[in-house]
Amino acid sequence: MPQEQYPHRSTMQTSEGPQVYKVGIYGWRKRCLYFFVLLLMILILVNLAMTIWILKVMNFTIDGMGNLRITDKGLKLEGDSEFLKPLYAKEIRSRPGNPLYFQSARNVTVNILNEKTKVLTRLVTGPQAVEAHSQKFEVKTLSGKLLFSADDNEVVVGAERLRVLGAEGTVFPKSIETPNVRADPFKELRLESPTRALVMEAPKGIEINAEAGSLKATCRTELRLESKDGEITLNSAKIKLPNLPQGSSSSAGSRQKIYELCVCPNGRLFLSQAGTSSTCQINTSVCL
């Protein structure tokens, strides 16, 4: 454009001659502007240095951050890790050949939820106990054989042998059902009921066998051997009844050590000193 149309921008025609005005920032304003630009550059450099330092310390790479790596199969975490919030994952496993540890200052809880986020199964490992909450609990071998199972109705032990190593044995408040009860080799087997009765029942018979030792049955009041439809057989080379009562002697001067075994009408056994004939009738006072 012609300069004549805007004479006030650059020059002004006066009687003394043209007057020129300087366009720009000068003086202390210019120095402040340079100072702010320099300060901004310093802040940018410091910010860039801090960013590079954080990336270096946190070990940021294109594959992940620190011990956390992003792979095609998911996230790979190396070393120890701490989770402050709940962890949701489809699968958690360790590296091949290395164990997987779960550590907590209080407890470790594993929950199995359904579609409505309702807890179906819960496993809680605490400082005092390990609790499992589910409808059924099973322990199986690698081949799928059932070793132990427990639910509201019954507890099943599928192992071929159940060993109890406690010094006081095992206490069953109610009845048990098993085809065989035996002790370890060279160990004693004791079945007792301190305050109640001990009952053994079987539809086809009960066999008590001590192959390398003795069999002892002790009671406070009465020991009864009863057979409803069969017989009771005592098969041994020697049968001793040391504490049987003895009837009165038929003759005061007789010192023989031969006795006759007598049976009272109520089934009680007693000894009577033998004579030329039966002496059981003479000593019937023992049956009273």
Side-chain angles (χ1 to χ4, degrees):
M1 293 183 181
Q3 189 176 2
E4 297 83 358
Q5 298 179 2
Y6 304 97
H8 58 279
R9 287 192 173 184
S10 58
T11 62
M12 180 176 292
Q13 191 72 22
T14 59
S15 58
E16 297 178 357
Q19 186 176 358
V20 180
Y21 292 91
K22 297 180 180 180
V23 178
I25 301 175
Y26 298 94
W28 63 271
R29 295 185 180 88
K30 183 177 182 180
R31 290 192 294 269
C32 290
L33 179 61
Y34 287 163
F35 174 75
F36 284 122
V37 171
L38 181 61
L39 181 61
L40 182 61
M41 293 180 62
I42 295 174
L43 291 178
I44 292 174
L45 293 177
V46 172
N47 190 10
L48 182 61
M50 291 293 294
T51 303
I52 296 175
W53 179 76
I54 292 175
L55 293 176
K56 184 65 176 178
V57 172
M58 300 299 294
N59 194 11
F60 276 96
T61 61
I62 59 175
D63 296 330
M65 177 187 69
N67 295 329
L68 183 64
R69 295 290 183 268
I70 301 176
T71 62
D72 297 336
K73 298 181 179 180
L75 297 179
K76 182 179 179 182
L77 189 61
E78 298 178 355
D80 299 335
S81 303
E82 182 178 355
F83 298 94
L84 303 179
K85 297 292 183 178
L87 174 64
Y88 299 92
K90 182 180 179 180
E91 181 180 358
I92 300 176
R93 62 181 180 179
S94 64
R95 297 177 59 184
N98 294 333
L100 177 63
Y101 296 99
F102 291 95
Q103 297 181 358
S104 174
R106 294 185 178 180
N107 55 39
V108 177
T109 304
V110 180
N111 293 332
I112 307 299
L113 309 178
N114 59 4
E115 295 81 2
K116 299 180 180 180
T117 65
K118 182 179 180 181
V119 178
L120 299 178
T121 303
R122 174 178 297 174
L123 178 63
V124 181
T125 57
Q128 297 180 355
V130 178
E131 300 179 1
H133 303 267
S134 63
Q135 297 181 356
K136 190 174 183 180
F137 179 75
E138 292 184 352
V139 178
K140 296 183 179 180
T141 61
L142 295 177
S143 60
K145 182 181 178 181
L146 181 64
L147 296 179
F148 181 83
S149 175
D151 56 14
D152 294 339
N153 298 324
E154 62 180 2
V155 176
V156 179
V157 179
E160 297 181 357
R161 179 182 299 178
L162 175 62
R163 298 183 61 186
V164 180
L165 303 179
E168 298 296 331
T170 304
V171 179
F172 297 96
K174 296 184 179 180
S175 61
I176 61 171
E177 181 179 351
T178 177
N180 188 9
V181 179
R182 65 179 180 181
D184 289 338
F186 308 105
K187 300 291 183 179
E188 294 183 356
L189 175 63
R190 178 179 296 179
L191 302 177
E192 63 178 357
S193 178
T195 58
R196 300 294 180 90
L198 178 62
V199 180
M200 292 186 293
E201 297 179 353
K204 294 185 178 181
I206 298 176
E207 180 180 356
I208 302 176
N209 186 16
E211 297 180 357
S214 59
L215 177 65
K216 183 179 180 181
T218 305
C219 65
R220 183 173 295 277
T221 55
E222 295 181 357
L223 176 62
R224 299 180 61 182
L225 300 177
E226 181 180 355
S227 178
K228 296 181 179 180
D229 299 330
E231 60 183 11
I232 298 176
T233 303
L234 301 177
N235 186 8
S236 177
K238 295 181 180 181
I239 298 177
K240 295 182 179 181
L241 302 173
N243 295 326
L244 286 179
Q246 298 182 10
S248 59
S249 177
S250 60
S251 59
S254 178
R255 295 182 180 178
Q256 61 180 356
K257 299 299 182 180
I258 300 175
Y259 294 90
E260 183 180 357
L261 181 62
C262 304
V263 182
C264 297
N266 58 4
R268 184 178 184 183
L269 300 178
F270 67 94
L271 298 177
S272 178
Q273 192 172 17
T276 56
S277 61
S278 178
T279 58
C280 291
Q281 297 179 357
I282 303 174
N283 300 284
T284 53
S285 60
V286 181
C287 299
L288 300 178

